[in-house]
Every structure is written in structure tokens, then in C-alpha cells.
């Protein structure tokens, strides 16, 4: 669940995929995604996740009557090399009728630095479709600021490892503040990932972070459960700051 700091409204969701494996029960993406990447199955799996997530968000909007939330979906470099491109994305959007401007594809810092011209071309074509690009887990990779100016990203997502100690570790807090200030100077918006406590949310509010995402606002849920979450959501009950009228 992604919350906008100023309005305190739910503005988006991030797609999360799990795997139910017999007696083991639910297997998290941290366990099976690396294997899918290595075998190349991530290409087919990623395409399925994109279509399913767009379908479910459309159903959510129909059931709640609310404005369509933004949807974020992770795209790996393996998918780009395996055939994912703007035409594939256009086909998914056409089949699901999901509006391009409500979709954000999350990419890694390393992908921005990739010298493959096909990837660069695809990123530009996705932007031309109206799709937003987010740089995921910012701060854990190369953090090459020059590449942010050259590529059409519009959002930075600060990795949860930096958010965990915000307000407790001065250097860490200063680093998050610097990332937010840098992003603002580049006309980028910022999402803080992994917000789990009131203290973290309150500090991020003081730092004027644009969006907050994490278990404090909602845990992974099925699309059916999201219907009740959205309809019953009350920004005045958020456990930090004061909801605005």
C-alpha cells in the first residue's frame, strides 16, 4: 500500500507474487524469483504477473467506485533481454484496458547503467506510451546520478534498509534527507519503502518524503481483500501526523 504524505490517501499498490507449494505452504518471492531469473522462466512469469495485476486493479476500481489506483510492477533485466518490450506492454494494456498513465514499472539502478541499446530504446518507448518508471531499491546499487538525468525515471524508491534506522541513526537519517533533496532537484518524486513504525513515518513526514509504503499501512493482500481495505480506509485514523481536510 502506497500512501501520499500530503493527502494521506491511498494512491497505489505494488504487485506481489507468491507460490503455494504443497506442504511447505506459501513460498515468498525472495526464495523462488532468483531461480526463475536463472532459468529464464521469469520472462513468462513476469508477463503473467503484469497482466494479472492490471486485471485485478481494474476489478478493484469497478467494485469500489474509486479512482483507479496506481499500480507498480517490478521488471527485471532478464525480462528485457528475454523479449519484454513496448509492444508486449501495449498488448497487455489493450487486453486489460488498464490506462498506461496509472502503471509504474520498477527497474533497478543497474539497468539504468546497462549499455545494451535495446534496453535504453525500450525504456524510452515505454515512457512514450505514458507508463511511469521507478528506480527501485535506490541507494543499494551504483547510485549513478548522471544516469538519472539521461533516463525517463520519475520516481525513486528508497530501499527499506535505509528506512529501518531512520530517526535512530543520525548519519542514516541525513542520508535519506539527502536522497530526498537530490530527487527534488531532479524533479523526481520519492517513495520510502518498508515503513513499519509510527516513528519512521513521522520522521519521513518531517523530511517531506512524497510517498510512504510499508506494513504500517497494509500487508500483502488478495485483490478481494483490497476491496474492503479501500472502501473502509479512513485517513484520519493513520497513526502519524494529522489528516488534512
Amino acid at each position: 500500500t502506497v500512501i501520499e504524505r500530503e493527502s494521506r490517501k491511498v494512491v497505489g499498490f505494488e504487485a506481489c507474487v507468491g507460490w503455494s507449494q504443497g506442504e511447505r505452504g506459501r513460498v515468498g518471492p525472495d526464495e523462488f524469483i532468483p531461480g526463475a531469473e536463472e532459468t529464464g522462466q521469469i520472462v513468462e512469469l513476469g508477463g503473467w504477473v503484469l497482466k494479472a495485476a492490471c486485471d485485478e486493479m481494474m476489478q478493484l476500481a469497478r467494485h469500489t467506485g474509486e479512482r483507479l489506483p496506481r499500480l507498480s510492477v517490478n521488471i527485471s533485466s532478464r525480462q528485457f533481454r528475454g523479449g519484454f518490450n513496448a509492444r508486449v506492454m501495449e498488448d497487455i494494456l489493450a487486453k486489460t484496458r488498464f490506462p498506461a498513465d496509472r502503471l509504474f514499472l520498477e527497474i533497478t539502478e543497474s539497468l539504468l547503467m546497462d549499455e545494451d541499446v535495446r534496453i535504453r530504446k525500450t525504456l524510452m518507448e515505454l515512457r512514450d506510451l505514458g507508463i511511469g518508471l521507478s528506480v527501485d531499491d535506490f541507494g543499494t546499487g551504483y547510485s549513478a546520478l548522471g544516469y538519472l538525468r539521461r533516463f525517463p525515471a520519475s520516481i525513486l524508491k528508497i530501499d527499506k534498509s535505509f528506512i529501518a534506522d531512520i530517526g535512530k541513526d543520525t548519519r542514516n537519517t541525513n542520508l535519506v534527507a539527502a536522497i530526498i533533496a537530490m530527487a527534488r532537484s531532479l524533479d523526481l518524486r520519492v517513495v520510502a519503502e518498508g515503513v513499519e513504525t509510527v516513528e519512521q513515518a513521522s520522521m519521513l513526514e518531517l523530511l517531506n518524503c512524497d510517498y510512504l509504503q510499508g506494513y504500517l499501512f497494509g500487508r500483502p493482500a488478495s485483490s478481494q481483500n483490497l476491496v474492503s481495505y479501500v472502501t473502509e480506509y479512513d485517513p484520519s485514523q493513520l497513526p502519524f501526523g494529522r489528516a488534512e481536510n
Side-chain angles (χ1 to χ4, degrees), residues 159-181:
D159 186 71
K160 61 184 179 181
S161 62
F162 295 104
I163 304 305
D165 292 326
I166 193 171
K168 299 177 182 178
D169 184 312
T170 301
R171 294 181 65 182
N172 196 77
T173 303
N174 290 341
L175 178 59
V176 172
I179 292 174
I180 293 173

Side-chain angles (χ1 to χ4, degrees), residues 24-94:
R24 285 189 63 188
R26 188 179 186 280
V27 180
D30 290 346
E31 292 186 62
F32 70 84
I33 290 296
E37 290 269 7
E38 187 175 341
T39 61
Q41 291 177 306
I42 191 66
V43 177
E44 183 177 355
L45 175 62
W48 177 85
V49 168
L50 263 170
K51 184 177 183 302
C54 288
D55 269 330
E56 292 188 6
M57 283 297 99
M58 292 296 288
Q59 292 174 26
L60 174 67
R62 284 194 289 269
H63 280 91
T64 64
E66 298 288 333
R67 183 168 184 258
L68 191 66
R70 288 200 295 260
L71 171 64
S72 297
V73 183
N74 286 278
I75 303 291
S76 74
S77 58
R78 186 65 181 264
Q79 284 175 259
F80 280 97
R81 295 190 178 88
F84 175 76
N85 55 37
R87 278 181 292 180
V88 171
M89 195 67 251
E90 273 189 294
D91 184 57
I92 292 173
L93 294 176

Side-chain angles (χ1 to χ4, degrees), residues 21-244:
Q21 191 185 49
E23 295 181 358
R24 285 189 63 188
R26 188 179 186 280
V27 180
D30 290 346
E31 292 186 62
F32 70 84
I33 290 296
E37 290 269 7
E38 187 175 341
T39 61
Q41 291 177 306
I42 191 66
V43 177
E44 183 177 355
L45 175 62
W48 177 85
V49 168
L50 263 170
K51 184 177 183 302
C54 288
D55 269 330
E56 292 188 6
M57 283 297 99
M58 292 296 288
Q59 292 174 26
L60 174 67
R62 284 194 289 269
H63 280 91
T64 64
E66 298 288 333
R67 183 168 184 258
L68 191 66
R70 288 200 295 260
L71 171 64
S72 297
V73 183
N74 286 278
I75 303 291
S76 74
S77 58
R78 186 65 181 264
Q79 284 175 259
F80 280 97
R81 295 190 178 88
F84 175 76
N85 55 37
R87 278 181 292 180
V88 171
M89 195 67 251
E90 273 189 294
D91 184 57
I92 292 173
L93 294 176
K95 288 178 178 177
T96 61
R97 298 187 177 181
F98 193 88
D101 63 353
R102 307 306 293 167
L103 178 64
F104 279 81
L105 300 181
E106 299 191 359
I107 60 177
T108 62
E109 292 178 77
S110 59
L111 192 63
L112 293 181
M113 300 180 67
D114 199 297
E115 296 300 324
D116 191 329
V117 293
R118 294 171 300 174
I119 292 178
R120 294 188 182 189
K121 182 173 181 289
T122 295
L123 291 174
M124 297 300 182
E125 289 173 343
L126 291 169
R127 177 203 58 187
D128 292 341
L129 287 177
I131 295 169
L133 295 176
S134 303
V135 181
D136 197 19
D137 301 332
F138 187 79
T140 60
Y142 299 95
S143 299
L145 304 185
Y147 287 88
L148 290 175
R149 293 187 293 114
R150 292 168 49 191
F151 283 89
S154 56
I155 287 182
L156 290 187
K157 300 191 76 172
I158 304 176
D159 186 71
K160 61 184 179 181
S161 62
F162 295 104
I163 304 305
D165 292 326
I166 193 171
K168 299 177 182 178
D169 184 312
T170 301
R171 294 181 65 182
N172 196 77
T173 303
N174 290 341
L175 178 59
V176 172
I179 292 174
I180 293 173
M182 175 213 66
R184 188 158 286 119
S185 71
L186 295 173
D187 199 26
L188 300 171
R189 289 167 291 168
V190 179
V191 177
E193 295 184 290
V195 181
E196 298 185 356
T197 69
V198 174
E199 292 73 22
Q200 291 168 349
S202 298
M203 180 58 67
L204 288 163
E205 182 176 32
L206 288 174
L207 297 176
N208 292 320
C209 186
D210 299 295
Y211 303 104
L212 284 64
Q213 175 181 345
Y215 286 177
L216 181 64
F217 311 110
R219 291 181 173 271
S222 66
S223 57
Q224 291 85 354
N225 290 335
L226 284 180
V227 171
S228 59
Y229 176 84
V230 171
T231 54
E232 296 170 10
Y233 173 80
D234 181 1
S236 68
Q237 298 303 309
L238 282 180
F240 75 102
R242 180 183 300 172
E244 301 189 10

